[in-house]
Amino acid sequence: MIRETLQQLTLREKIFQTMIIHNNDIYDEEKLAKKLKNESLGGFFVGEEIIGSQAIKGDAIIEAVMRINKHSKIPPIICADTEFGCGYMFPDGRYSAFPWQMTLGATHNTEYAYEFGKYTAIPAREIGINLSLGPVADLNMNFLNPVANTRTIGDDPELVKQMLVSMIKGMQEYGMGATVKHFPGDGVDYRDQHYVLTSNTLSVEEWRRSFGAVYQALIDEGVLCVMAGHISLPSYQHERIDGIAPPATLSKELITDLLKGELGFRYAVMSDAVCMNAFRTTYCDQVRSELECFKAGVDLLLWPSEEYPLSLERAIETGEIPMSRLDDAVERILRLKEALGLFDDRKFKTDTMEGVMSLDKRIAEDAITLVRDRRNQLPLSQIKRAAVIALTEYEDEIASLRYVIDEFALHGVDATLHRGECREDPSVFDLILYVTFCHQHKPCGMLQITPSWQTGALSREKTAVVAFGSPYLINSNFPTVNMAVAAYSDTEQCQRASVKAILGEIPFKGVLPVKMQSF
C-alpha cells in the first residue's frame, strides 16, 4: 500500500506531503477546497495552546477537521498540542484538561499514565485529531529551564521511561499517535529556543544514559513520531556553522545518523515550529533554513513558509537535494499514516469517557507532595482564618485561586485573597499561605512580581507555601518557610487537593519527581 501510493504521487504531491500547515484558511471551506485542489498537504495543525490569542476552539475545530477530510486527496495528519488532554480546546466542560506532566510524575503511577494517554486519545479521535504533539520526553535537569519545567515527568530517566511508555501505549492503543519531543532533549539549558538557540550540554556518555535511554525505550515501544527540537548536542556533533553546533532541526548528524541510524527510528520525524528564533537565526534565511532542515533528515516541517514547496521542488530538480531523500521522507510519512489507520478501517480499542472526569482529581490528590514540615505542624485541623497571598502578575492565575478560597470555605475556614502582600494585620490569621505558579512558557526562575518585602517574614510558625507550578521556587524563594507543599499544576483539582492535604482531609502521597536545589 505504501509503495503503491508513493509511486502514484507526482513530485509536487510528494513535496506537499512533507508539510504540516497552520493556516486559518482551514476554517473557510471555499478557501480550503481551493487550496487542497492544488496541494495534497501532509497534515494540519488545529487548536492552540501557546498562541492563545489566535485560539479557535470547540465546535469550530470539529467542523474544520470535517472540511479538511472532505477535500483531501490523501488522508491527512490532523495534529494538535494535546499535551494536557483535549479540555483546553473545549472549555465548555465536555472534555477534561489534565495537570502538567510533572504532576503525573509525582504520583509515580504508571496506570495513571496509561489513562492519561487513553483519555487524551478517545476524545481526540472523536474530534478528528489523529496525532498528538506530545508527550514531552525532556528531562528537567536545570531548575531555571523555562520550556521543559512542569511539562516534564521529572529528571529521573527511569521514571520518565516508565511513565511515558505507559502513556504512549494508552494513547496509541486507542488510535492516536504520539509525538515525543524535543529531540535530542530539552531541560539542560536555562534559555528558551523560541528566542535563542539552546544546547544540551551533556557529554555523549551522559546523554546516552539519560535522554538517549529515554528515546530508545520510546522508540522500542513503537512511538509513531519524534519532534526534532531547535536544540544542539555539541558533544555529539562535529559540524559547526560559524563555530556553533546547529540545532537538531538543521543537523544531519543528529537526525539521520543518531535518531534514524543509531536509535533505529523508522517513522516520521517532525520539526518543531520553524518560525522559532533558534531555527531562523542559524542561516538567517527562512527558506534556506527549511531546505537544510529537510536535507538533514526532518520529514515533516511544522508551519513552513509559502515559498518552501516551490523551493524544495527546484532543489530536487537541480540535484541539490536527491530524490531519494524526498522518497524516504514520504515513505516514512505514509508509514505513519498507515499506523494511524488512515488508509483502512483499522480497529483500535474503544471505551466510554466514564473514567476521564475523575482522572484529574485522582492524579491531583495522589501527587500533592509534602516538601517539608520542619516543626511537624501539618495537617492544620484547627484553623479558622487564612490569608492566601498570590505571587503572580497574571490575571488568570489570580482568578483561578477562587478554587483555593472555595475549598477553604467548604472546610469552615474564612480565607481571603491578597496579591503580593497581606495588608491586613497578620496576627488575625491562623495561616498565611503563599502561592506561586511559574510554569512553562512563563519565566520560572524567579517570581515575576514586584518583590514582596514580607515574603516569608511573617510569623514563621503559621506561614506556609504551596507551588502550583515549578516546585523549585520553594527552595529558591522560601528557604526559611517551614511548611511547604508542591502541587505542580494550577488545575482546579490540584488547588483543591492542596487545601485538603493541608487541612488533613487527604494524606500527602506525592513524591518529588525532581531533585530540589539547595541554596
Side-chain angles (χ1 to χ4, degrees), residues 364-366 368 379 496-508:
E365 293 192 352
D366 281 9
I368 300 300
R496 290 188 182 278
S498 298
V499 175
K500 291 175 184 177
I502 288 170
L503 298 180
E505 181 180 330
I506 61 173
F508 289 101

Side-chain angles (χ1 to χ4, degrees), residues 22 26-27 45-51 54-57 61 79-81 88-89 129 303:
H22 172 243
I26 67 176
Y27 301 98
F45 178 94
V46 297
E48 293 288 357
E49 178 194 4
I50 298 170
I51 313 173
Q54 297 181 17
I56 297 176
K57 300 181 178 181
I61 294 175
C79 60
D81 269 327
Y88 69 88
M89 290 191 295
I129 298 165
W303 310 347

Side-chain angles (χ1 to χ4, degrees), residues 326-345:
L326 179 61
D327 283 342
D328 174 67
V330 178
E331 185 173 339
R332 287 170 175 271
I333 293 164
L334 295 177
R335 189 180 301 136
L336 166 60
K337 291 184 175 185
E338 182 181 59
L340 295 174
L342 302 188
F343 296 130
D344 54 37
D345 295 325

Side-chain angles (χ1 to χ4, degrees), residues 243-511:
I244 300 171
T249 40
L250 296 169
S251 172
K252 179 178 180 294
E253 290 174 299
L254 294 182
I255 301 304
T256 300
D257 299 344
L258 179 55
L259 177 57
K260 293 181 174 180
E262 291 188 40
L263 299 184
F265 183 62
R266 58 189 295 269
Y267 292 102
V269 177
M270 184 188 298
S271 74
D272 206 342
V274 296
C275 57
M276 290 162 61
N277 239 24
F279 179 81
R280 301 173 67 191
T281 54
T282 299
Y283 290 103
C284 298
D285 180 283
Q286 183 67 29
V287 176
R288 183 187 174 195
S289 297
E290 291 167 353
L291 295 181
E292 293 293 336
C293 177
F294 184 75
K295 191 187 300 185
V298 173
D299 307 302
L300 285 162
L301 270 68
L302 184 61
W303 310 347
S305 65
E306 293 183 1
E307 294 77 19
Y308 163 74
L310 182 58
S311 298
L312 179 55
E313 184 176 5
R314 288 172 180 163
I316 290 172
E317 289 174 341
T318 61
E320 178 189 349
I321 297 176
M323 189 68 189
S324 59
R325 165 79 273 267
L326 179 61
D327 283 342
D328 174 67
V330 178
E331 185 173 339
R332 287 170 175 271
I333 293 164
L334 295 177
R335 189 180 301 136
L336 166 60
K337 291 184 175 185
E338 182 181 59
L340 295 174
L342 302 188
F343 296 130
D344 54 37
D345 295 325
R346 183 171 308 187
K347 301 299 181 183
F348 297 100
K349 286 186 176 181
T350 59
D351 201 350
T352 68
M353 293 290 287
E354 184 177 345
V356 70
M357 299 309 288
S358 68
L359 183 59
D360 182 14
K361 184 173 185 289
R362 285 180 283 142
I363 292 173
E365 293 192 352
D366 281 9
I368 300 300
T369 305
L370 181 60
V371 177
R372 62 173 175 261
D373 182 16
R374 293 186 180 126
R375 298 182 181 178
N376 298 314
Q377 294 172 262
L378 293 170
L380 303 173
S381 57
Q382 303 299 319
I383 66 171
K384 297 299 181 185
R385 291 198 65 189
V388 178
I389 306 176
L391 300 177
T392 177
E393 290 183 345
Y394 297 101
E395 295 297 332
D396 59 330
E397 293 175 344
I398 292 287
S400 76
L401 290 174
R402 65 185 182 276
Y403 301 125
V404 168
I405 302 302
D406 180 60
E407 192 62 36
F408 270 122
L410 291 175
H411 290 78
V413 178
D414 178 17
T416 54
L417 181 60
H418 307 264
R419 187 168 187 169
E421 290 186 327
C422 176
R423 302 192 182 281
E424 295 184 53
D425 179 359
S427 67
V428 303
F429 298 106
D430 305 307
L431 170 66
I432 298 166
L433 182 65
Y434 287 95
V435 297
T436 66
F437 293 87
C438 295
H439 49 75
Q440 65 275 6
H441 306 306
K442 294 180 179 178
C444 60
M446 19 184 340
L447 295 176
Q448 296 302 300
I449 192 167
T450 303
S452 168
W453 286 101
Q454 63 180 207
T455 301
L458 297 174
S459 305
R460 192 172 298 179
E461 72 279 0
K462 59 183 179 181
T463 299
V465 58
V466 59
F468 291 134
S470 170
Y472 300 112
L473 292 178
I474 290 172
N475 279 6
S476 65
N477 291 72
F478 301 91
T480 60
V481 172
N482 292 325
M483 295 180 284
V485 174
Y488 312 98
S489 297
D490 59 359
T491 66
E492 175 182 352
Q493 294 303 329
C494 285
Q495 294 194 29
R496 290 188 182 278
S498 298
V499 175
K500 291 175 184 177
I502 288 170
L503 298 180
E505 181 180 330
I506 61 173
F508 289 101
K509 292 183 180 179
V511 178

Side-chain angles (χ1 to χ4, degrees), residues 141-171:
M141 294 184 172
N142 187 333
F143 80 102
L144 293 173
N145 187 283
V147 182
N149 197 249
T150 50
R151 292 167 83 190
T152 69
I153 291 291
D155 60 14
D156 177 8
E158 285 303 316
L159 174 64
V160 172
K161 281 195 298 184
Q162 292 170 16
M163 298 295 279
L164 293 189
V165 162
S166 294
M167 187 188 298
I168 290 166
K169 185 177 181 181
M171 192 177 291

